[in-house]
Amino acid sequence: MLDCAPPMAAQLLDGKSLAAKIRAGLKQKVDALVQRGVRPGLAVLLAGDDAASRVYVKNKTLGAIETGMHSEQHLFPNDVPEPELLAKIRELNADSRVHSILVQLPLPKHIQ
């Protein structure tokens, strides 16, 4: 015999409003870090020409800028050699302005 709980009422969420509230809170935290001499930084690497990935990267970059973070994009062609991509990651790891690196997926098939 199945025990079925009564269905829950649907709740409509306003995603844009919620995102704006979250970003406002993050901006306050970023501002507090900046006051202490640390400006968080995000570097995004995109290899190839996947349209959905370009939109995602654009939105992540805009979100970082909106919250006051340092933000940079590094775009590579679809045929970027894997050693070149890895060299950029090593360079960003050594950059004191970068605290987080996002390597956007999917990567081209030849990249492991």
Side-chain angles (χ1 to χ4, degrees):
M1 186 159 162
L2 294 176
D3 181 22
C4 296
M8 296 180 61
Q11 181 179 5
L12 183 62
L13 296 176
D14 180 356
K16 286 187 179 183
S17 175
L18 181 58
K21 287 178 184 176
I22 291 170
R23 282 197 176 124
L26 287 174
K27 181 159 180 34
Q28 288 179 343
K29 291 178 180 184
V30 169
D31 289 346
L33 285 170
V34 169
Q35 295 258 333
R36 293 175 39 206
V38 178
R39 183 176 181 210
L42 171 67
V44 181
L45 283 72
L46 175 62
D49 55 0
D50 183 82
S53 291
R54 286 194 180 275
V55 170
Y56 185 82
V57 165
K58 176 185 170 197
N59 288 334
K60 291 298 169 200
T61 300
L62 291 174
I65 292 169
E66 184 180 329
T67 59
M69 295 174 61
H70 167 76
S71 180
E72 53 188 76
Q73 289 184 14
H74 300 274
L75 308 176
F76 297 90
N78 196 53
D79 62 350
V80 61
E82 186 172 333
E84 183 178 336
L85 197 58
L86 292 172
K88 178 52 79 172
I89 293 169
R90 282 190 295 277
E91 176 187 323
L92 292 169
N93 271 327
D95 187 336
S96 64
R97 298 171 302 155
V98 175
H99 298 89
S100 181
I101 300 170
L102 170 65
V103 179
Q104 180 61 41
L105 300 178
L107 288 167
K109 299 274 188 228
H110 68 281
I111 306 271
Q112 294 189 17

